[in-house]
């Protein structure tokens, strides 16, 4: 998009070229229209400081019933997205978050590391024999699916269905959603919800002795100030957690390997110095954030440096734009796996800051770190294919060879 037309940019009219490479447009917006108003009255923020201010303000609301009502009508997608904690405000948000938080403490996550390491090593052994494969299907999506399924106690037989469900449900959050994608989203919530309702009923009937599924147990049996979750709240928050837990982490693994393949000097550096894996993962989170756009509704006027957003403004926070803001990141377009500090907003911030950030980092570091050191001859093996979503950035296919 040229500088003269950038003022006309509208998230409601984006095309595949923007989805595949939004960064030049976001840069032009940040330079010319950092607080960019669109035809429906909503604004897109591309500066790091502005996005951070939105996330830090308790008056910026996550409840999107009005917006989702217009977009989804009454139906499964509306029920799902308006019941999950991420699209709610206190006090309901606080109740669900507290019920979940016990399973994400540093001690609990440290206990899971041997499980994660075991899955990664087993997968690498299998890949060694294959030689050439689609990195997404054969590797990136396997670990996060196994881990979140373990935490929720989802039986093996259902696990292979998760990615299809989550792409259908999360895909419906894109700014532009064709009717067939909406229909697929509604169907996915219904099917997935029925499976979870069965599992929950089984768990209620047999509460004792399950080796897996601590998160589900906390949600079913836990209470906060005497408040239990209703059946609908349980099912919809489980769906959200399963989606949030594996979709973005699959993209983290895929995007990081794709980033390294596109920057062979950085790949070789990581292979020479495996200790750089932590900063390499942070750099991937910055330049290829798996979640690119957030939203809030201004519950009161918000004072940005050079303007005031009135109460009632619908706000899009461009995480992808903020993460390349030269006011915060030196040489923001350069991929540097040694970058430190790296104050990216890939996990947002404030009261909705990603609850799974530590887990995602552990999974990303182990999966990518072990993969690139086990396969020193790693190379691209044909054209990669992005998922084609504006909000969630990741690959549908990433063919690689390791010989
Ligand atoms: C690289 C991987 C991940 C990324 C980039 C990511 C990103 C995010 C972002 C940006 C938010 C804030 C959304 C908003 O308020 O606008 C969020 C919320 C959340 N994420 Fe993640 N996430 C990742 C992995 C995970 C994992 C592995 C889990 C769980 C196992 C998880 C669970 C959650 C939950 C429960 C919330 C809602 C928190 C709340 O509303 O209080 N995420 N995530």
């Amino acid at each position: 998009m040229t500088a003269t037309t950038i003022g006309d940019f509208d998230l409601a009219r984006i095309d595949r070229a923007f989805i595949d490479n939004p960064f030049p447009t976001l840069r032009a917006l940040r330079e010319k229209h950092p607080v960019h108003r669109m035809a429906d009255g909503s604004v897109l923020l591309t500066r790091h400081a502005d996005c951070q201010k939105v996330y830090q303000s308790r008056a910026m609301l996550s409840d999107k019933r009005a917006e989702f009502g217009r977009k989804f009508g009454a139906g499964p997608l509306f029920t799902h997205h308006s019941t999950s904690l991420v699209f709610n405000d206190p006090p309901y948000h606080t109740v669900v978050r507290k019920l979940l938080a016990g399973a994400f403490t540093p001690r609990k996550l440290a206990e899971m590391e041997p499980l994660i390491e075991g899955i990664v090593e087993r997968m690498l052994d299998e890949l060694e024999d294959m030689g050439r494969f689609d990195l997404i299907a054969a590797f990136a999506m396997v670990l996060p699916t196994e881990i979140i399924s373990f935490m929720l106690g989802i039986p093996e037989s259902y696990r292979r269905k998760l990615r299809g469900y989550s792409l259908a449900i999360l895909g419906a959050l894109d700014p532009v959603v064709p009717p067939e994608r909406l229909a697929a989203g509604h169907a996915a919530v219904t099917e997935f919800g029925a499976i979870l309702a069965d599992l929950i009923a089984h768990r209620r009937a047999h509460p004792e002795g399950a080796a897996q599924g601590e998160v589900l147990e906390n949600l079913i049996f836990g209470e906060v100030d005497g408040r239990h979750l209703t059946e609908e709240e349980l099912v919809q928050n489980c769906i959200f957690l399963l989606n949030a837990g594996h979709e973005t982490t699959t993209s983290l693994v895929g995007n990081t390997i794709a980033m390294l393949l596109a920057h062979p000097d950085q790949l070789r550096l990581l292979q020479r110095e495996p200790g750089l894996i932590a900063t390499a993962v942070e750099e991937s989170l910055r330049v290829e954030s798996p979640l690119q756009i957030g939203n809030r509704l201004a519950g009161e006027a918000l004072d940005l440096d050079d303007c005031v957003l009135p109460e009632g403004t619908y706000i899009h926070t461009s995480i992808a734009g903020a993460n390349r803001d030269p006011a915060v990141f030196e040489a923001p377009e350069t991929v540097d796996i040694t970058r430190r500090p790296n104050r990216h907003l890939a996990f947002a911030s404030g009261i909705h800051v990603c609850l799974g950030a530590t887990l995602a980092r552990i999974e990303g570091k182990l999966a990518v770190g072990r993969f690139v050191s086990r396969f020193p001859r790693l190379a691209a093996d044909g054209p990669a294919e992005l998922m084609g979503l504006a909000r969630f950035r990741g690959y549908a296919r990433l063919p690689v060879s390791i010989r």
Side-chain angles (χ1 to χ4, degrees):
M1 189 164 286
T2 64
T4 46
T5 58
I6 195 71
D8 299 332
F9 175 81
D10 201 313
L11 272 177
R13 294 198 316 265
I14 51 175
D15 55 14
R16 186 66 202 234
F18 173 81
I19 289 177
D20 285 352
N21 183 12
F23 306 109
T25 305
L26 295 174
R27 178 182 178 167
L29 281 168
R30 195 189 322 102
E31 287 168 359
K32 306 258 183 228
H33 302 265
V35 180
H36 180 68
R37 195 166 286 280
M38 290 173 290
D40 65 357
S42 65
V43 298
L44 175 65
L45 305 180
T46 41
R47 285 186 300 215
H48 189 282
D50 293 342
C51 294
Q52 179 70 329
K53 203 163 203 173
V54 168
Y55 283 133
Q56 289 297 319
S57 164
R58 297 294 285 258
M60 298 302 114
L61 306 175
S62 288
D63 183 326
K64 305 208 168 46
R65 267 172 292 194
E67 147 87 0
F68 290 158
R70 278 192 296 277
K71 185 167 181 176
F72 302 138
L77 277 172
F78 178 81
T79 307
H80 169 63
H81 287 304
S82 60
T83 311
S84 68
L85 81 158
V86 74
F87 296 130
N88 274 281
D89 302 302
Y92 171 66
H93 166 262
T94 319
V95 171
V96 184
R97 183 138 181 144
K98 277 190 179 164
L99 288 174
L100 292 174
F104 290 89
T105 61
R107 189 174 61 80
K108 291 279 178 205
L109 296 177
E111 280 170 18
M112 290 192 52
E113 273 197 48
L115 172 73
I116 299 174
E117 277 169 341
I119 297 172
V120 171
E121 292 306 330
R122 198 187 69 219
M123 280 192 292
L124 294 180
D125 291 342
E126 286 169 14
L127 295 177
E128 183 130 48
D129 297 333
M130 291 165 70
R132 307 169 62 194
F133 45 87
D134 168 20
L135 182 111
I136 303 303
F139 185 63
M141 64 181 254
V142 183
L143 175 68
T145 305
E146 290 290 304
I147 296 302
I148 194 64
S149 299
F150 173 86
M151 294 178 86
L152 278 153
I154 304 296
E156 296 255 0
S157 51
Y158 294 127
R159 294 184 186 180
R160 67 189 167 74
K161 294 187 162 190
L162 292 187
R163 189 159 160 90
Y165 287 147
S166 87
L167 284 177
I169 296 168
L170 297 177
L173 292 172
D174 247 30
V176 182
V177 189
E180 62 278 9
R181 203 188 277 165
L182 268 187
H186 284 303
V189 173
T190 305
E191 271 181 50
F192 202 0
I195 291 172
L196 283 165
D198 276 356
L199 284 177
I200 290 166
H202 181 80
R203 204 49 178 273
R204 277 196 204 283
H206 307 91
E208 72 297 325
Q212 303 187 356
E214 179 176 349
V215 174
L216 187 60
E217 210 150 274
N218 291 354
L219 285 174
I220 297 178
F221 301 109
E223 60 171 83
V224 174
D225 302 331
R227 162 90 153 82
H228 287 276
L229 296 190
T230 65
E231 205 62 25
E232 190 75 275
E233 291 167 351
L234 254 172
V235 168
Q236 302 307 336
N237 280 290
C238 284
I239 294 181
F240 171 72
L241 204 57
L242 281 161
N243 292 344
H246 87 275
E247 182 48 45
T248 44
T249 316
T250 298
S251 296
L252 171 61
V253 174
N255 295 359
T256 308
I257 304 237
M259 175 189 88
L260 292 168
L261 286 170
H263 298 86
D265 58 319
Q266 301 292 298
L267 173 58
R268 281 193 296 276
L269 176 59
L270 181 59
Q271 286 171 324
R272 264 196 326 272
E273 294 186 40
L276 289 174
I277 186 62
T279 46
V281 165
E282 296 308 310
E283 185 66 341
S284 161
L285 284 163
R286 181 182 77 83
V287 293
E288 295 285 346
S289 303
L291 182 49
Q292 300 253 305
I293 307 170
N295 296 99
R296 294 291 186 270
L297 179 67
E300 59 183 47
L302 182 71
D303 208 346
L304 300 178
D305 274 353
D306 39 15
C307 67
V308 176
L309 299 182
E311 180 183 342
T313 306
Y314 193 72
I315 301 169
H316 307 268
T317 48
S318 170
I319 292 174
N323 285 350
R324 293 177 184 225
D325 185 344
V328 175
F329 302 99
E330 212 184 301
E333 303 297 333
T334 303
V335 171
D336 172 5
I337 64 163
T338 69
R339 189 183 288 276
R340 206 192 271 265
N342 194 339
R343 295 192 299 111
H344 63 74
L345 290 177
F347 295 115
S349 79
I351 66 164
H352 289 277
V353 66
C354 176
L355 189 57
T358 305
L359 176 61
R361 285 179 161 124
I362 295 173
E363 291 185 42
K365 281 189 290 190
L366 279 169
V368 177
R370 297 286 164 91
F371 187 86
V372 299
S373 60
R374 176 86 168 254
F375 303 128
R377 300 169 70 91
L378 167 67
D381 188 31
E385 211 181 286
L386 282 161
M387 294 189 303
L389 297 174
R391 195 172 292 275
F392 292 89
R393 184 166 183 84
Y395 288 86
R397 268 171 45 78
L398 184 57
V400 297
S401 74
I402 52 168
R403 291 199 184 123

